[in-house]
Amino acid sequence: MRVSRAQAEANRETVINVASRLFRERGFDGIGLKDLMKGAGLTQGGFYKQFESKDDLAALASQRAMESATSKWSSAAASSSDPLQAVIDLYLSPGHRGETGDGCPLVALGADAARQSPEVRKPFRDGIKAHLQVLEEMMPASDDEDASRKAMAALSLMVGAVTLSRILTGEKLSDRLLETAAAEVKRIAGSEKDD
């Protein structure tokens, strides 16, 4: 049975959204095409009518995940009188630690992405730049280079802290990692450039 172009496009979007979640939960190699399509409520037969390859889908799903993550940061920042604190509260929280399917793709897939094709790595590179831009806008700094340096340190610390806290989920050390990272990000943002 043929589906309309509109339904085919809706199916494609559903597959991208489902893949975005499932890749973050299981990793790029932790789920096959059959289970991805089943998760979208479709059969595997239609996959190659919509996507060139699994890498093509992985790149699109990663782009969707990175855009969603950046949007969450921007929304949190825009809705607060203290944008940096809002992002810290959103990201370095026990709630985010537990969001394996909808949380940060840098945390969920960073190590996997480093081993993927350039096509799959590109959305991560673009997403890192977007996250850095959001952070740079929140960093008090004497110049652009100082804001950039602080944003890089903060992003690295935040992603690392959530990654480690997920390994230790349910343990007091996990919560302490998030709390310590939050305090250090605030310290970085408030510190003056060391010359």
Side-chain angles (χ1 to χ4, degrees):
M1 178 172 108
R2 288 190 57 96
V3 297
S4 69
R5 286 183 191 252
Q7 185 60 53
E9 185 57 32
N11 289 347
R12 177 180 164 84
E13 290 301 309
T14 298
V15 172
I16 293 169
N17 288 332
V18 167
S20 176
R21 180 179 49 81
L22 291 175
F23 284 143
R24 282 182 277 177
E25 287 177 357
R26 301 181 191 176
F28 291 119
D29 297 329
I31 188 160
L33 295 180
K34 180 180 177 183
D35 289 331
L36 280 169
M37 294 301 282
K38 183 179 178 182
L42 302 167
T43 62
Q44 186 177 352
F47 179 84
Y48 289 104
K49 293 177 185 174
Q50 299 177 11
F51 305 99
E52 292 179 22
S53 64
K54 187 177 177 184
D55 266 8
D56 179 34
L57 175 58
L60 292 167
S62 297
Q63 179 181 356
R64 178 79 41 91
M66 290 303 303
E67 288 170 353
S68 173
T70 304
S71 177
K72 286 179 185 178
W73 277 32
S74 295
S75 293
S79 67
S80 175
S81 60
D82 186 349
L84 181 60
Q85 187 63 51
V87 169
I88 289 169
D89 290 346
L90 172 75
Y91 196 84
L92 294 172
S93 68
H96 180 234
R97 174 183 61 211
E99 287 181 350
T100 57
D102 290 320
C104 180
L106 295 173
V107 172
L109 294 167
D112 277 355
R115 293 185 290 271
Q116 299 300 312
S117 69
E119 175 186 18
V120 176
R121 288 195 317 263
K122 182 184 182 310
F124 287 90
R125 183 187 71 230
D126 295 345
I128 290 167
K129 289 178 181 179
H131 276 72
L132 289 171
Q133 183 177 358
V134 171
L135 282 171
E136 282 178 32
E137 292 171 4
M138 294 182 245
M139 294 291 164
S142 58
D143 57 38
D144 288 344
E145 184 178 320
D146 189 32
S148 176
R149 180 182 61 79
K150 288 178 178 182
M152 287 181 186
L155 181 62
S156 299
L157 178 60
M158 292 168 74
V159 171
V162 175
T163 301
L164 294 176
S165 75
R166 283 187 178 175
I167 294 168
L168 302 169
T169 298
E171 298 179 23
K172 288 181 182 178
L173 183 57
S174 177
D175 290 335
R176 286 184 53 217
L177 277 168
L178 295 175
E179 292 163 6
T180 301
E184 283 301 302
V185 169
K186 287 187 261 186
R187 187 190 65 75
I188 289 166
S191 67
E192 295 302 316
K193 187 174 181 179
D194 297 324
D195 289 330

